Amino acid sequence: MYYSAYHSIDVINGEGTRCTLFVSGCEHACKGCYNQSTWHVDAGHEFSQALEDQIIKDLTDRRIYRRGLSLSGGDPLHPANLDAILKLVTRVKNECPGKDIWLWTGYQLADLSVAQQNIINLVDVMIDGKFEQDKADPALLWRGSSNQVIHRFNHDDPS
């Protein structure tokens, strides 16, 4: 997997102070996308074990509280990203108790593959749907266009 940017302190991409990873690879090619430089799967830098370890370290840093991890892109659910994203979100859930995970994707929840769903089963908030320029609204919270849906999951709820 490749990524375009990592911000160890971010207050824009999700609730609270967060760590945010912008991955590379997106097959949606939405007209008006603000992050076209992330479309190619090999754009930016190769994601490494060292960066994964740094994300965990940042999330558990007691000096600067982070509420959780945000994953954007590109698209974290692009087929080229699934193995690395699953490994990362699994580590966050196992090693960073109380931290939430937010994920933005152009795929829709109802259309996810089994491999993509395995990741979503570990995510707390997912914003799905392609960016649609004719439905763009800068007043929307956490979304670029009104067709995108914010899903909040409670995977611990046994019902």
Side-chain angles (χ1 to χ4, degrees), residues 86-99:
L86 179 60
K87 182 176 180 247
L88 175 60
V89 297
T90 299
R91 278 195 70 192
V92 170
K93 287 300 176 183
N94 289 334
E95 299 177 37
C96 307
K99 304 298 180 182

Side-chain angles (χ1 to χ4, degrees), residues 9 12 19 21 37 40 49 53 60 62 64 66 72 76 87 97 104 107 110 114 117 122 126 132 136 139-140 155:
I9 301 173
I12 296 174
C19 297
L21 179 66
S37 64
H40 295 285
Q49 185 64 50
D53 293 343
T60 57
R62 293 177 189 256
I64 302 172
R66 280 106 165 163
S72 192
K87 182 176 180 247
W104 280 259
Y107 301 100
V114 171
Q117 188 63 50
L122 298 169
M126 179 179 98
E132 294 183 19
L140 292 170
H155 298 296

Side-chain angles (χ1 to χ4, degrees), residues 13-151:
N13 295 290
E15 295 169 343
T17 302
R18 318 186 60 75
C19 297
T20 300
L21 179 66
F22 291 91
V23 302
S24 299
C26 185
E27 57 190 7
H28 307 296
C30 301
K31 184 179 179 182
C33 174
Y34 76 95
N35 218 356
Q36 292 182 23
S37 64
T38 66
W39 287 2
H40 295 285
V41 294
D42 59 355
H45 318 279
E46 191 168 356
F47 188 73
S48 64
Q49 185 64 50
L51 180 56
E52 181 181 305
D53 293 343
Q54 184 63 52
I55 292 170
I56 299 300
K57 182 178 177 185
D58 291 340
L59 285 169
T60 57
D61 183 351
R62 293 177 189 256
R63 296 170 298 153
I64 302 172
Y65 176 78
R66 280 106 165 163
R67 182 168 173 172
L69 174 66
S70 292
L71 299 167
S72 192
D75 196 319
L77 297 183
H78 184 284
N81 298 331
L82 297 178
D83 290 343
I85 292 295
L86 179 60
K87 182 176 180 247
L88 175 60
V89 297
T90 299
R91 278 195 70 192
V92 170
K93 287 300 176 183
N94 289 334
E95 299 177 37
C96 307
K99 304 298 180 182
D100 64 9
I101 300 172
W102 286 48
L103 185 145
W104 280 259
T105 182
Y107 301 100
Q108 291 187 312
L109 181 60
D111 299 329
L112 297 180
S113 70
V114 171
Q116 291 169 323
Q117 188 63 50
N118 288 339
I119 292 168
I120 297 308
N121 288 339
L122 298 169
V123 167
D124 300 284
V125 179
M126 179 179 98
I127 296 84
D128 77 349
K130 296 177 185 178
F131 172 75
E132 294 183 19
Q133 195 167 23
D134 62 333
K135 296 178 182 173
D137 182 350
L140 292 170
L141 192 59
W142 317 127
R143 307 174 288 157
S145 57
S146 61
N147 62 294
Q148 295 172 312
V149 177
I150 300 172
H151 301 274

